[in-house]
Amino acid sequence: LVITATQSSSIDITNGHANLLEGQRLLQLGHYTDATTFFWRAVLLHSSSSTSSSLYSVNDAFTPFLQCYINLNKLVDGITFVAAESYLRRQDQMGDLYLEQALEQDDGHVSAVRLKEIVTNYSLDSVVTLGWIKEVRDAVDVATVSMDDGDYDGTNNNKNSSSNQDDTTTTMKSANDISDQYNQDSNNTLLPLLTQTKYQNSTPEQLYNLGTQYFNTNNLPHAEQLFQLSCIKSNTQLAAACTNAVYLRSHLCLWGVNGTGFERDMEVVRRVTRAEVGVYR
Protein backbone atom coordinates (compact mmCIF):
# COMPACT_ATOMS: atom_id res chain seq x y z
CA LEU A 1 0.00 0.00 0.00
CA VAL A 2 1.07 3.58 -0.58
CA ILE A 3 -0.26 6.90 0.66
CA THR A 4 -0.42 9.29 -2.27
CA ALA A 5 0.98 12.79 -2.22
CA THR A 6 -2.43 14.41 -2.36
CA GLN A 7 -4.65 12.27 -0.13
CA SER A 8 -4.53 10.55 3.22
CA SER A 9 -5.96 7.21 2.12
CA SER A 10 -3.83 4.45 0.61
CA ILE A 11 -4.08 2.30 -2.50
CA ASP A 12 -2.64 -1.05 -3.50
CA ILE A 13 0.17 -0.10 -5.91
CA THR A 14 0.29 -3.67 -7.23
CA ASN A 15 -3.30 -3.36 -8.52
CA GLY A 16 -3.41 -1.94 -12.02
CA HIS A 17 -7.02 -0.82 -11.88
CA ALA A 18 -6.53 0.92 -8.53
CA ASN A 19 -3.62 2.85 -10.03
CA LEU A 20 -5.75 3.82 -13.03
CA LEU A 21 -8.51 5.17 -10.80
CA GLU A 22 -6.02 7.16 -8.71
CA GLY A 23 -4.47 8.58 -11.87
CA GLN A 24 -7.89 9.66 -13.09
CA ARG A 25 -8.63 11.32 -9.76
CA LEU A 26 -5.35 13.24 -9.78
CA LEU A 27 -5.83 14.24 -13.42
CA GLN A 28 -9.22 15.75 -12.61
CA LEU A 29 -7.62 17.70 -9.75
CA GLY A 30 -4.95 19.04 -12.08
CA HIS A 31 -2.09 17.19 -10.35
CA TYR A 32 -0.59 16.07 -13.64
CA THR A 33 2.89 15.10 -12.45
CA ASP A 34 1.49 12.87 -9.70
CA ALA A 35 -1.02 11.36 -12.13
CA THR A 36 1.68 10.21 -14.57
CA THR A 37 3.11 7.86 -11.94
CA PHE A 38 -0.20 6.07 -11.47
CA PHE A 39 -1.15 6.00 -15.15
CA TRP A 40 2.21 4.52 -16.12
CA ARG A 41 2.03 1.98 -13.32
CA ALA A 42 -1.42 1.01 -14.63
CA VAL A 43 0.13 0.48 -18.08
CA LEU A 44 2.86 -1.72 -16.60
CA LEU A 45 0.43 -3.79 -14.55
CA HIS A 46 -2.24 -4.27 -17.19
CA SER A 47 -1.12 -7.73 -18.25
CA SER A 48 -0.04 -8.83 -14.77
CA SER A 49 -3.42 -10.42 -14.01
CA SER A 50 -6.62 -11.37 -15.78
CA THR A 51 -8.54 -9.12 -13.39
CA SER A 52 -6.71 -5.99 -14.50
CA SER A 53 -6.96 -6.81 -18.20
CA SER A 54 -10.73 -7.31 -17.88
CA LEU A 55 -11.33 -3.95 -16.17
CA TYR A 56 -9.44 -1.61 -18.48
CA SER A 57 -7.38 -1.50 -21.63
CA VAL A 58 -3.79 -0.32 -21.94
CA ASN A 59 -4.98 2.73 -23.86
CA ASP A 60 -7.31 3.67 -20.99
CA ALA A 61 -4.16 4.37 -18.99
CA PHE A 62 -1.76 5.31 -21.79
CA THR A 63 -3.88 8.06 -23.34
CA PRO A 64 -4.35 10.09 -20.13
CA PHE A 65 -0.65 9.48 -19.32
CA LEU A 66 0.28 11.38 -22.48
CA GLN A 67 -2.50 13.90 -21.83
CA CYS A 68 -0.77 14.83 -18.56
CA TYR A 69 2.42 15.60 -20.47
CA ILE A 70 0.41 17.67 -22.95
CA ASN A 71 -1.14 19.64 -20.10
CA LEU A 72 2.36 20.31 -18.78
CA ASN A 73 3.51 21.44 -22.23
CA LYS A 74 5.93 18.49 -22.21
CA LEU A 75 4.47 16.15 -24.84
CA VAL A 76 7.82 15.34 -26.47
CA ASP A 77 9.22 14.47 -23.05
CA GLY A 78 6.35 12.01 -22.64
CA ILE A 79 6.87 10.38 -26.02
CA THR A 80 10.61 10.13 -25.38
CA PHE A 81 9.90 8.54 -22.00
CA VAL A 82 7.80 5.85 -23.68
CA ALA A 83 10.51 5.26 -26.30
CA ALA A 84 13.18 4.84 -23.60
CA GLU A 85 10.98 2.49 -21.57
CA SER A 86 10.35 0.42 -24.70
CA TYR A 87 14.06 0.05 -25.43
CA LEU A 88 14.75 -0.94 -21.83
CA ARG A 89 12.27 -3.81 -22.28
CA ARG A 90 13.79 -4.72 -25.66
CA GLN A 91 10.65 -3.73 -27.48
CA ASP A 92 12.85 -2.12 -30.08
CA GLN A 93 10.22 -1.62 -32.78
CA MET A 94 7.97 0.19 -30.36
CA GLY A 95 10.94 2.26 -29.19
CA ASP A 96 11.74 3.19 -32.80
CA LEU A 97 8.10 4.17 -33.38
CA TYR A 98 7.92 6.57 -30.44
CA LEU A 99 11.41 7.96 -30.93
CA GLU A 100 10.48 8.80 -34.51
CA GLN A 101 7.31 10.50 -33.26
CA ALA A 102 9.32 12.51 -30.72
CA LEU A 103 11.81 13.75 -33.32
CA GLU A 104 9.00 14.58 -35.74
CA GLN A 105 7.53 16.82 -33.04
CA ASP A 106 10.89 18.44 -32.20
CA ASP A 107 14.05 17.44 -34.03
CA GLY A 108 16.12 19.46 -31.56
CA HIS A 109 14.75 17.86 -28.42
CA VAL A 110 17.86 17.21 -26.31
CA SER A 111 16.82 13.90 -24.76
CA ALA A 112 15.28 12.51 -27.96
CA VAL A 113 18.43 13.37 -29.92
CA ARG A 114 20.56 11.74 -27.22
CA LEU A 115 18.41 8.62 -27.26
CA LYS A 116 18.69 8.43 -31.05
CA GLU A 117 22.46 8.67 -30.78
CA ILE A 118 22.57 5.87 -28.20
CA VAL A 119 20.36 3.35 -30.01
CA THR A 120 21.99 4.06 -33.36
CA ASN A 121 25.62 3.75 -32.30
CA TYR A 122 25.64 1.31 -29.39
CA SER A 123 24.46 -2.23 -28.68
CA LEU A 124 21.31 -2.54 -26.60
CA ASP A 125 22.76 -5.74 -25.16
CA SER A 126 25.31 -3.69 -23.23
CA VAL A 127 24.66 -2.87 -19.57
CA VAL A 128 26.41 0.46 -20.11
CA THR A 129 24.07 1.31 -22.97
CA LEU A 130 21.02 0.47 -20.88
CA GLY A 131 22.38 2.75 -18.16
CA TRP A 132 22.56 5.62 -20.63
CA ILE A 133 19.00 4.95 -21.75
CA LYS A 134 17.85 5.00 -18.13
CA GLU A 135 19.49 8.41 -17.74
CA VAL A 136 17.52 9.67 -20.75
CA ARG A 137 14.31 8.22 -19.34
CA ASP A 138 14.85 9.85 -15.96
CA ALA A 139 15.56 13.22 -17.59
CA VAL A 140 12.11 13.25 -19.21
CA ASP A 141 10.16 11.62 -16.38
CA VAL A 142 8.24 14.51 -14.79
CA ALA A 143 7.32 12.24 -11.88
CA THR A 144 10.93 12.16 -10.69
CA VAL A 145 11.29 15.96 -10.68
CA SER A 146 10.13 18.02 -7.69
CA MET A 147 7.90 21.02 -8.27
CA ASP A 148 8.69 24.32 -6.55
CA ASP A 149 5.80 26.80 -6.44
CA GLY A 150 4.46 25.40 -9.68
CA ASP A 151 7.72 25.82 -11.62
CA TYR A 152 8.98 22.81 -13.55
CA ASP A 153 12.68 22.50 -12.75
CA GLY A 154 13.55 19.67 -15.09
CA THR A 155 15.74 19.71 -18.17
CA ASN A 156 14.54 22.16 -20.77
CA ASN A 157 14.60 19.65 -23.61
CA ASN A 158 12.73 21.84 -26.03
CA LYS A 159 15.13 24.54 -27.17
CA ASN A 160 12.32 26.42 -28.89
CA SER A 161 10.00 26.96 -25.91
CA SER A 162 10.07 27.64 -22.20
CA SER A 163 8.64 25.32 -19.55
CA ASN A 164 4.99 25.69 -18.71
CA GLN A 165 3.89 26.46 -15.13
CA ASP A 166 1.40 24.20 -13.35
CA ASP A 167 0.05 24.18 -9.79
CA THR A 168 1.06 20.69 -8.64
CA THR A 169 2.40 18.98 -5.54
CA THR A 170 5.68 17.22 -4.90
CA THR A 171 5.73 14.08 -7.01
CA MET A 172 6.37 10.49 -6.02
CA LYS A 173 9.04 8.08 -7.16
CA SER A 174 8.29 6.47 -10.53
CA ALA A 175 7.29 2.83 -10.78
CA ASN A 176 10.75 1.44 -11.56
CA ASP A 177 10.28 -1.41 -9.06
CA ILE A 178 7.50 -2.94 -11.13
CA SER A 179 8.62 -1.89 -14.61
CA ASP A 180 9.68 -5.42 -15.57
CA GLN A 181 6.00 -6.37 -15.68
CA TYR A 182 5.46 -4.24 -18.77
CA ASN A 183 4.99 -6.93 -21.41
CA GLN A 184 3.05 -5.31 -24.22
CA ASP A 185 2.04 -7.79 -26.92
CA SER A 186 2.97 -6.98 -30.51
CA ASN A 187 -0.63 -7.27 -31.69
CA ASN A 188 -1.74 -4.72 -29.11
CA THR A 189 0.77 -2.02 -30.04
CA LEU A 190 -0.23 1.41 -28.82
CA LEU A 191 -1.01 3.59 -31.80
CA PRO A 192 0.14 7.11 -30.97
CA LEU A 193 -2.91 9.02 -32.19
CA LEU A 194 -2.58 11.42 -29.29
CA THR A 195 0.98 12.26 -30.32
CA GLN A 196 -0.31 13.75 -33.57
CA THR A 197 -0.70 17.50 -33.26
CA LYS A 198 -4.11 17.61 -34.93
CA TYR A 199 -5.63 15.46 -32.17
CA GLN A 200 -3.92 16.86 -29.08
CA ASN A 201 -6.35 19.67 -28.34
CA SER A 202 -9.45 18.18 -29.97
CA THR A 203 -12.57 17.92 -27.83
CA PRO A 204 -14.38 14.59 -27.44
CA GLU A 205 -17.11 15.91 -29.73
CA GLN A 206 -14.62 16.90 -32.43
CA LEU A 207 -12.96 13.49 -32.24
CA TYR A 208 -16.38 11.83 -32.46
CA ASN A 209 -17.27 13.83 -35.59
CA LEU A 210 -13.93 13.00 -37.17
CA GLY A 211 -14.41 9.34 -36.33
CA THR A 212 -17.79 9.49 -38.06
CA GLN A 213 -16.15 10.89 -41.19
CA TYR A 214 -13.63 8.04 -41.27
CA PHE A 215 -16.47 5.56 -40.68
CA ASN A 216 -18.39 6.98 -43.63
CA THR A 217 -15.34 6.48 -45.86
CA ASN A 218 -15.01 2.88 -44.61
CA ASN A 219 -11.71 3.54 -42.82
CA LEU A 220 -12.87 1.47 -39.87
CA PRO A 221 -9.56 0.96 -38.00
CA HIS A 222 -8.93 4.70 -37.85
CA ALA A 223 -12.55 5.39 -36.96
CA GLU A 224 -12.33 2.91 -34.07
CA GLN A 225 -9.28 4.68 -32.65
CA LEU A 226 -10.91 8.10 -32.89
CA PHE A 227 -14.14 6.91 -31.25
CA GLN A 228 -12.12 5.27 -28.47
CA LEU A 229 -10.03 8.41 -27.95
CA SER A 230 -13.24 10.45 -27.82
CA CYS A 231 -14.65 8.03 -25.26
CA ILE A 232 -11.54 8.26 -23.07
CA LYS A 233 -11.21 12.05 -23.27
CA SER A 234 -14.88 12.44 -22.31
CA ASN A 235 -14.29 10.15 -19.31
CA THR A 236 -16.85 7.77 -20.89
CA GLN A 237 -19.54 10.47 -20.76
CA LEU A 238 -19.94 10.52 -24.54
CA ALA A 239 -21.68 7.16 -24.67
CA ALA A 240 -22.12 7.08 -28.44
CA ALA A 241 -18.36 7.27 -28.93
CA CYS A 242 -17.80 4.40 -26.49
CA THR A 243 -20.39 2.12 -28.07
CA ASN A 244 -19.27 2.98 -31.60
CA ALA A 245 -15.73 1.97 -30.65
CA VAL A 246 -17.07 -1.31 -29.24
CA TYR A 247 -19.11 -1.93 -32.40
CA LEU A 248 -16.08 -1.42 -34.65
CA ARG A 249 -13.84 -3.63 -32.52
CA SER A 250 -16.49 -6.33 -32.76
CA HIS A 251 -16.69 -5.88 -36.52
CA LEU A 252 -12.89 -6.00 -36.85
CA CYS A 253 -12.45 -8.68 -34.14
CA LEU A 254 -10.04 -6.44 -32.22
CA TRP A 255 -10.36 -8.17 -28.86
CA GLY A 256 -6.71 -8.47 -27.89
CA VAL A 257 -4.82 -11.48 -26.66
CA ASN A 258 -7.06 -14.48 -25.88
CA GLY A 259 -10.14 -12.34 -26.47
CA THR A 260 -9.74 -10.50 -23.15
CA GLY A 261 -11.00 -7.28 -24.72
CA PHE A 262 -14.39 -8.80 -25.53
CA GLU A 263 -15.57 -9.00 -21.91
CA ARG A 264 -14.28 -5.50 -21.27
CA ASP A 265 -16.24 -4.21 -24.26
CA MET A 266 -19.38 -6.01 -23.14
CA GLU A 267 -19.04 -4.33 -19.75
CA VAL A 268 -18.94 -0.96 -21.52
CA VAL A 269 -22.19 -1.82 -23.30
CA ARG A 270 -23.78 -2.93 -20.02
CA ARG A 271 -22.80 0.33 -18.26
CA VAL A 272 -24.13 2.48 -21.09
CA THR A 273 -27.37 0.48 -21.23
CA ARG A 274 -27.92 0.74 -17.46
CA ALA A 275 -27.30 4.49 -17.58
CA GLU A 276 -29.82 4.97 -20.42
CA VAL A 277 -32.41 2.83 -18.64
CA GLY A 278 -31.91 4.97 -15.53
CA VAL A 279 -32.58 8.13 -17.52
CA TYR A 280 -35.85 6.85 -19.00
CA ARG A 281 -37.12 5.60 -15.64
Side-chain angles (χ1 to χ4, degrees), residues 178-198:
I178 57 171
S179 61
D180 289 341
Q181 299 184 58
Y182 180 47
N183 294 308
Q184 184 66 35
D185 295 284
S186 59
N187 63 346
N188 193 28
T189 299
L190 300 169
L191 299 177
L193 271 183
L194 196 56
T195 67
Q196 300 181 25
T197 303
K198 58 185 176 182

PDB file of all heavy atoms in Angstrom, residues 178-198:
ATOM      1  N   ILE A 178       8.392  -1.976 -10.498  1.00  0.00           N
ATOM      2  CA  ILE A 178       7.502  -2.944 -11.135  1.00  0.00           C
ATOM      3  C   ILE A 178       7.580  -2.867 -12.651  1.00  0.00           C
ATOM      4  O   ILE A 178       6.774  -3.476 -13.343  1.00  0.00           O
ATOM      5  CB  ILE A 178       6.034  -2.707 -10.699  1.00  0.00           C
ATOM      6  CG1 ILE A 178       5.594  -1.280 -11.029  1.00  0.00           C
ATOM      7  CG2 ILE A 178       5.842  -2.998  -9.236  1.00  0.00           C
ATOM      8  CD1 ILE A 178       4.120  -1.054 -10.833  1.00  0.00           C
ATOM      9  N   SER A 179       8.558  -2.140 -13.163  1.00  0.00           N
ATOM     10  CA  SER A 179       8.618  -1.888 -14.607  1.00  0.00           C
ATOM     11  C   SER A 179       8.842  -3.153 -15.427  1.00  0.00           C
ATOM     12  O   SER A 179       8.478  -3.203 -16.596  1.00  0.00           O
ATOM     13  CB  SER A 179       9.728  -0.881 -14.916  1.00  0.00           C
ATOM     14  OG  SER A 179      10.983  -1.376 -14.524  1.00  0.00           O
ATOM     15  N   ASP A 180       9.435  -4.193 -14.827  1.00  0.00           N
ATOM     16  CA  ASP A 180       9.678  -5.420 -15.569  1.00  0.00           C
ATOM     17  C   ASP A 180       8.389  -6.127 -15.957  1.00  0.00           C
ATOM     18  O   ASP A 180       8.405  -7.050 -16.776  1.00  0.00           O
ATOM     19  CB  ASP A 180      10.552  -6.371 -14.748  1.00  0.00           C
ATOM     20  CG  ASP A 180      11.971  -5.867 -14.646  1.00  0.00           C
ATOM     21  OD1 ASP A 180      12.365  -5.028 -15.474  1.00  0.00           O
ATOM     22  OD2 ASP A 180      12.670  -6.307 -13.725  1.00  0.00           O
ATOM     23  N   GLN A 181       7.270  -5.719 -15.377  1.00  0.00           N
ATOM     24  CA  GLN A 181       5.999  -6.365 -15.684  1.00  0.00           C
ATOM     25  C   GLN A 181       5.349  -5.800 -16.940  1.00  0.00           C
ATOM     26  O   GLN A 181       4.267  -6.220 -17.325  1.00  0.00           O
ATOM     27  CB  GLN A 181       5.042  -6.230 -14.494  1.00  0.00           C
ATOM     28  CG  GLN A 181       5.574  -6.885 -13.234  1.00  0.00           C
ATOM     29  CD  GLN A 181       4.580  -6.814 -12.101  1.00  0.00           C
ATOM     30  OE1 GLN A 181       3.468  -7.287 -12.210  1.00  0.00           O
ATOM     31  NE2 GLN A 181       4.980  -6.219 -11.004  1.00  0.00           N
ATOM     32  N   TYR A 182       6.021  -4.820 -17.551  1.00  0.00           N
ATOM     33  CA  TYR A 182       5.461  -4.242 -18.770  1.00  0.00           C
ATOM     34  C   TYR A 182       5.782  -5.168 -19.942  1.00  0.00           C
ATOM     35  O   TYR A 182       6.876  -5.201 -20.452  1.00  0.00           O
ATOM     36  CB  TYR A 182       6.071  -2.862 -19.004  1.00  0.00           C
ATOM     37  CG  TYR A 182       5.577  -2.143 -20.231  1.00  0.00           C
ATOM     38  CD1 TYR A 182       4.219  -2.065 -20.525  1.00  0.00           C
ATOM     39  CD2 TYR A 182       6.471  -1.520 -21.082  1.00  0.00           C
ATOM     40  CE1 TYR A 182       3.785  -1.381 -21.641  1.00  0.00           C
ATOM     41  CE2 TYR A 182       6.043  -0.837 -22.194  1.00  0.00           C
ATOM     42  CZ  TYR A 182       4.697  -0.778 -22.476  1.00  0.00           C
ATOM     43  OH  TYR A 182       4.258  -0.093 -23.583  1.00  0.00           O
ATOM     44  N   ASN A 183       4.794  -5.954 -20.350  1.00  0.00           N
ATOM     45  CA  ASN A 183       4.986  -6.935 -21.414  1.00  0.00           C
ATOM     46  C   ASN A 183       3.926  -6.733 -22.483  1.00  0.00           C
ATOM     47  O   ASN A 183       3.026  -7.534 -22.639  1.00  0.00           O
ATOM     48  CB  ASN A 183       4.902  -8.365 -20.863  1.00  0.00           C
ATOM     49  CG  ASN A 183       6.030  -8.677 -19.912  1.00  0.00           C
ATOM     50  OD1 ASN A 183       7.182  -8.473 -20.245  1.00  0.00           O
ATOM     51  ND2 ASN A 183       5.702  -9.154 -18.718  1.00  0.00           N
ATOM     52  N   GLN A 184       4.039  -5.629 -23.199  1.00  0.00           N
ATOM     53  CA  GLN A 184       3.047  -5.305 -24.220  1.00  0.00           C
ATOM     54  C   GLN A 184       3.146  -6.256 -25.404  1.00  0.00           C
ATOM     55  O   GLN A 184       4.230  -6.476 -25.946  1.00  0.00           O
ATOM     56  CB  GLN A 184       3.279  -3.870 -24.700  1.00  0.00           C
ATOM     57  CG  GLN A 184       2.256  -3.380 -25.691  1.00  0.00           C
ATOM     58  CD  GLN A 184       0.899  -3.270 -25.035  1.00  0.00           C
ATOM     59  OE1 GLN A 184       0.802  -2.931 -23.892  1.00  0.00           O
ATOM     60  NE2 GLN A 184      -0.128  -3.564 -25.775  1.00  0.00           N
ATOM     61  N   ASP A 185       2.035  -6.863 -25.796  1.00  0.00           N
ATOM     62  CA  ASP A 185       2.037  -7.795 -26.919  1.00  0.00           C
ATOM     63  C   ASP A 185       2.099  -7.041 -28.232  1.00  0.00           C
ATOM     64  O   ASP A 185       1.539  -5.973 -28.387  1.00  0.00           O
ATOM     65  CB  ASP A 185       0.767  -8.661 -26.887  1.00  0.00           C
ATOM     66  CG  ASP A 185       0.751  -9.551 -25.670  1.00  0.00           C
ATOM     67  OD1 ASP A 185       1.471 -10.554 -25.659  1.00  0.00           O
ATOM     68  OD2 ASP A 185       0.016  -9.211 -24.717  1.00  0.00           O
ATOM     69  N   SER A 186       2.759  -7.653 -29.229  1.00  0.00           N
ATOM     70  CA  SER A 186       2.972  -6.983 -30.512  1.00  0.00           C
ATOM     71  C   SER A 186       1.666  -6.689 -31.224  1.00  0.00           C
ATOM     72  O   SER A 186       1.571  -5.721 -31.970  1.00  0.00           O
ATOM     73  CB  SER A 186       3.864  -7.858 -31.405  1.00  0.00           C
ATOM     74  OG  SER A 186       3.274  -9.123 -31.633  1.00  0.00           O
ATOM     75  N   ASN A 187       0.633  -7.498 -31.003  1.00  0.00           N
ATOM     76  CA  ASN A 187      -0.633  -7.265 -31.691  1.00  0.00           C
ATOM     77  C   ASN A 187      -1.528  -6.293 -30.914  1.00  0.00           C
ATOM     78  O   ASN A 187      -2.668  -6.074 -31.274  1.00  0.00           O
ATOM     79  CB  ASN A 187      -1.379  -8.577 -31.940  1.00  0.00           C
ATOM     80  CG  ASN A 187      -1.772  -9.264 -30.644  1.00  0.00           C
ATOM     81  OD1 ASN A 187      -1.282  -8.927 -29.581  1.00  0.00           O
ATOM     82  ND2 ASN A 187      -2.659 -10.238 -30.750  1.00  0.00           N
ATOM     83  N   ASN A 188      -0.987  -5.721 -29.859  1.00  0.00           N
ATOM     84  CA  ASN A 188      -1.741  -4.722 -29.110  1.00  0.00           C
ATOM     85  C   ASN A 188      -0.918  -3.443 -28.995  1.00  0.00           C
ATOM     86  O   ASN A 188      -0.956  -2.731 -28.011  1.00  0.00           O
ATOM     87  CB  ASN A 188      -2.073  -5.252 -27.708  1.00  0.00           C
ATOM     88  CG  ASN A 188      -3.107  -4.390 -26.998  1.00  0.00           C
ATOM     89  OD1 ASN A 188      -3.927  -3.753 -27.638  1.00  0.00           O
ATOM     90  ND2 ASN A 188      -3.058  -4.360 -25.676  1.00  0.00           N
ATOM     91  N   THR A 189      -0.109  -3.175 -30.041  1.00  0.00           N
ATOM     92  CA  THR A 189       0.769  -2.017 -30.041  1.00  0.00           C
ATOM     93  C   THR A 189      -0.042  -0.741 -29.882  1.00  0.00           C
ATOM     94  O   THR A 189      -1.063  -0.546 -30.522  1.00  0.00           O
ATOM     95  CB  THR A 189       1.566  -1.952 -31.357  1.00  0.00           C
ATOM     96  OG1 THR A 189       2.361  -3.124 -31.464  1.00  0.00           O
ATOM     97  CG2 THR A 189       2.468  -0.738 -31.374  1.00  0.00           C
ATOM     98  N   LEU A 190       0.450   0.136 -29.030  1.00  0.00           N
ATOM     99  CA  LEU A 190      -0.229   1.405 -28.818  1.00  0.00           C
ATOM    100  C   LEU A 190      -0.027   2.299 -30.029  1.00  0.00           C
ATOM    101  O   LEU A 190       1.095   2.630 -30.381  1.00  0.00           O
ATOM    102  CB  LEU A 190       0.344   2.083 -27.566  1.00  0.00           C
ATOM    103  CG  LEU A 190       0.191   1.290 -26.275  1.00  0.00           C
ATOM    104  CD1 LEU A 190       1.026   1.939 -25.181  1.00  0.00           C
ATOM    105  CD2 LEU A 190      -1.255   1.234 -25.860  1.00  0.00           C
ATOM    106  N   LEU A 191      -1.104   2.701 -30.651  1.00  0.00           N
ATOM    107  CA  LEU A 191      -1.009   3.586 -31.797  1.00  0.00           C
ATOM    108  C   LEU A 191      -1.043   5.031 -31.304  1.00  0.00           C
ATOM    109  O   LEU A 191      -2.012   5.444 -30.672  1.00  0.00           O
ATOM    110  CB  LEU A 191      -2.172   3.323 -32.766  1.00  0.00           C
ATOM    111  CG  LEU A 191      -2.203   1.916 -33.334  1.00  0.00           C
ATOM    112  CD1 LEU A 191      -3.427   1.741 -34.218  1.00  0.00           C
ATOM    113  CD2 LEU A 191      -0.938   1.625 -34.127  1.00  0.00           C
ATOM    114  N   PRO A 192      -0.005   5.801 -31.585  1.00  0.00           N
ATOM    115  CA  PRO A 192       0.142   7.115 -30.969  1.00  0.00           C
ATOM    116  C   PRO A 192      -0.722   8.200 -31.609  1.00  0.00           C
ATOM    117  O   PRO A 192      -0.216   9.217 -32.074  1.00  0.00           O
ATOM    118  CB  PRO A 192       1.627   7.407 -31.158  1.00  0.00           C
ATOM    119  CG  PRO A 192       1.985   6.708 -32.429  1.00  0.00           C
ATOM    120  CD  PRO A 192       1.134   5.468 -32.453  1.00  0.00           C
ATOM    121  N   LEU A 193      -2.045   7.983 -31.650  1.00  0.00           N
ATOM    122  CA  LEU A 193      -2.913   9.019 -32.189  1.00  0.00           C
ATOM    123  C   LEU A 193      -2.758  10.326 -31.429  1.00  0.00           C
ATOM    124  O   LEU A 193      -2.748  11.399 -32.013  1.00  0.00           O
ATOM    125  CB  LEU A 193      -4.383   8.579 -32.106  1.00  0.00           C
ATOM    126  CG  LEU A 193      -4.966   7.798 -33.284  1.00  0.00           C
ATOM    127  CD1 LEU A 193      -6.438   7.543 -33.029  1.00  0.00           C
ATOM    128  CD2 LEU A 193      -4.771   8.521 -34.585  1.00  0.00           C
ATOM    129  N   LEU A 194      -2.628  10.220 -30.098  1.00  0.00           N
ATOM    130  CA  LEU A 194      -2.577  11.415 -29.289  1.00  0.00           C
ATOM    131  C   LEU A 194      -1.302  12.196 -29.510  1.00  0.00           C
ATOM    132  O   LEU A 194      -1.222  13.371 -29.182  1.00  0.00           O
ATOM    133  CB  LEU A 194      -2.713  11.054 -27.806  1.00  0.00           C
ATOM    134  CG  LEU A 194      -3.053  12.193 -26.839  1.00  0.00           C
ATOM    135  CD1 LEU A 194      -4.323  12.898 -27.271  1.00  0.00           C
ATOM    136  CD2 LEU A 194      -3.186  11.678 -25.434  1.00  0.00           C
ATOM    137  N   THR A 195      -0.271  11.558 -30.072  1.00  0.00           N
ATOM    138  CA  THR A 195       0.977  12.264 -30.323  1.00  0.00           C
ATOM    139  C   THR A 195       0.902  13.115 -31.584  1.00  0.00           C
ATOM    140  O   THR A 195       1.811  13.886 -31.849  1.00  0.00           O
ATOM    141  CB  THR A 195       2.153  11.278 -30.464  1.00  0.00           C
ATOM    142  OG1 THR A 195       1.984  10.508 -31.654  1.00  0.00           O
ATOM    143  CG2 THR A 195       2.221  10.354 -29.261  1.00  0.00           C
ATOM    144  N   GLN A 196      -0.156  12.961 -32.367  1.00  0.00           N
ATOM    145  CA  GLN A 196      -0.309  13.754 -33.571  1.00  0.00           C
ATOM    146  C   GLN A 196      -0.948  15.093 -33.222  1.00  0.00           C
ATOM    147  O   GLN A 196      -1.981  15.150 -32.569  1.00  0.00           O
ATOM    148  CB  GLN A 196      -1.158  12.997 -34.596  1.00  0.00           C
ATOM    149  CG  GLN A 196      -0.529  11.664 -35.009  1.00  0.00           C
ATOM    150  CD  GLN A 196      -1.368  10.932 -36.038  1.00  0.00           C
ATOM    151  OE1 GLN A 196      -2.141  11.550 -36.773  1.00  0.00           O
ATOM    152  NE2 GLN A 196      -1.218   9.620 -36.099  1.00  0.00           N
ATOM    153  N   THR A 197      -0.310  16.150 -33.658  1.00  0.00           N
ATOM    154  CA  THR A 197      -0.698  17.501 -33.263  1.00  0.00           C
ATOM    155  C   THR A 197      -2.180  17.778 -33.492  1.00  0.00           C
ATOM    156  O   THR A 197      -2.842  18.403 -32.661  1.00  0.00           O
ATOM    157  CB  THR A 197       0.137  18.539 -34.048  1.00  0.00           C
ATOM    158  OG1 THR A 197       1.522  18.278 -33.815  1.00  0.00           O
ATOM    159  CG2 THR A 197      -0.202  19.948 -33.611  1.00  0.00           C
ATOM    160  N   LYS A 198      -2.732  17.276 -34.593  1.00  0.00           N
ATOM    161  CA  LYS A 198      -4.113  17.608 -34.933  1.00  0.00           C
ATOM    162  C   LYS A 198      -5.127  17.027 -33.960  1.00  0.00           C
ATOM    163  O   LYS A 198      -6.284  17.436 -33.950  1.00  0.00           O
ATOM    164  CB  LYS A 198      -4.432  17.135 -36.350  1.00  0.00           C
ATOM    165  CG  LYS A 198      -4.238  15.632 -36.562  1.00  0.00           C
ATOM    166  CD  LYS A 198      -4.453  15.280 -38.028  1.00  0.00           C
ATOM    167  CE  LYS A 198      -4.172  13.807 -38.293  1.00  0.00           C
ATOM    168  NZ  LYS A 198      -4.340  13.474 -39.723  1.00  0.00           N
TER     169      LYS A 198
END
